[in-house]
Amino acid sequence: QVQLVESGGGLVQAGGSLRLSCAASGRTFSSYNMGWFRQAPGKEREFVAAISRSGGSTFYANSVKGRFTISRDNAKNTVYLQMNSLKPEDTAVYYCAASYQGVSSFHGEYDYWGQGTQVTVSS
């Protein structure tokens, strides 16, 4: 079992930045590939970014590439999502997720999920 708790969401103006954190507890954090997903009202959950167990490989949705950076600190059992140049269309609830399988953009391959943190970008 892995428990995930996101933090760092909030209200920001377009062009601003936020850093989301996801703290993990339970089984060995470094055993899991980690991902960030988001879900806007009335839309399906979509992939944002993923990072491998060691942090050596990262993947991004095209919509956030060049603006968002995923990273992890295995010593602190935490994964981060640095979000820069935020746009109103980035408004969503952001979820972190842990996968014991491969690094994936498919939400069905993630085993554990946090409760989500709201990010609102005003124009």
Side-chain angles (χ1 to χ4, degrees):
Q1 276 277 1
V2 173
Q3 292 79 43
L4 303 173
V5 179
E6 302 96 335
S7 61
L11 174 64
V12 64
Q13 289 188 332
S17 298
L18 283 174
R19 188 175 83 154
L20 305 183
S21 299
C22 174
S25 60
R27 293 186 62 181
T28 306
F29 177 69
S30 59
S31 299
Y32 292 89
N33 299 299
M34 300 297 296
W36 285 97
F37 290 76
R38 66 187 181 186
Q39 188 166 18
K43 295 189 177 181
E44 293 187 354
R45 190 167 299 191
E46 66 172 352
F47 170 74
V48 175
I51 189 167
S52 61
R53 294 177 179 87
S54 68
S57 296
T58 57
F59 304 90
Y60 298 93
N62 287 335
S63 59
V64 307
K65 200 172 294 183
R67 300 188 297 122
F68 291 11
T69 302
I70 188 171
S71 61
R72 66 190 296 163
D73 185 337
N74 286 344
K76 295 183 178 180
N77 287 3
T78 302
V79 61
Y80 305 97
L81 186 68
Q82 178 66 44
M83 305 186 294
N84 298 329
S85 303
L86 283 161
K87 304 175 181 180
E89 51 263 44
D90 294 318
T91 295
V93 177
Y94 283 70
Y95 300 89
C96 72
S99 172
Y100 202 62
Q101 305 173 66
V103 181
S104 176
S105 62
F106 178 50
H107 61 80
E109 294 192 7
Y110 286 79
D111 305 293
Y112 301 102
W113 293 83
Q115 83 290 347
T117 185
Q118 176 70 47
V119 171
T120 303
V121 184
S122 64
S123 58

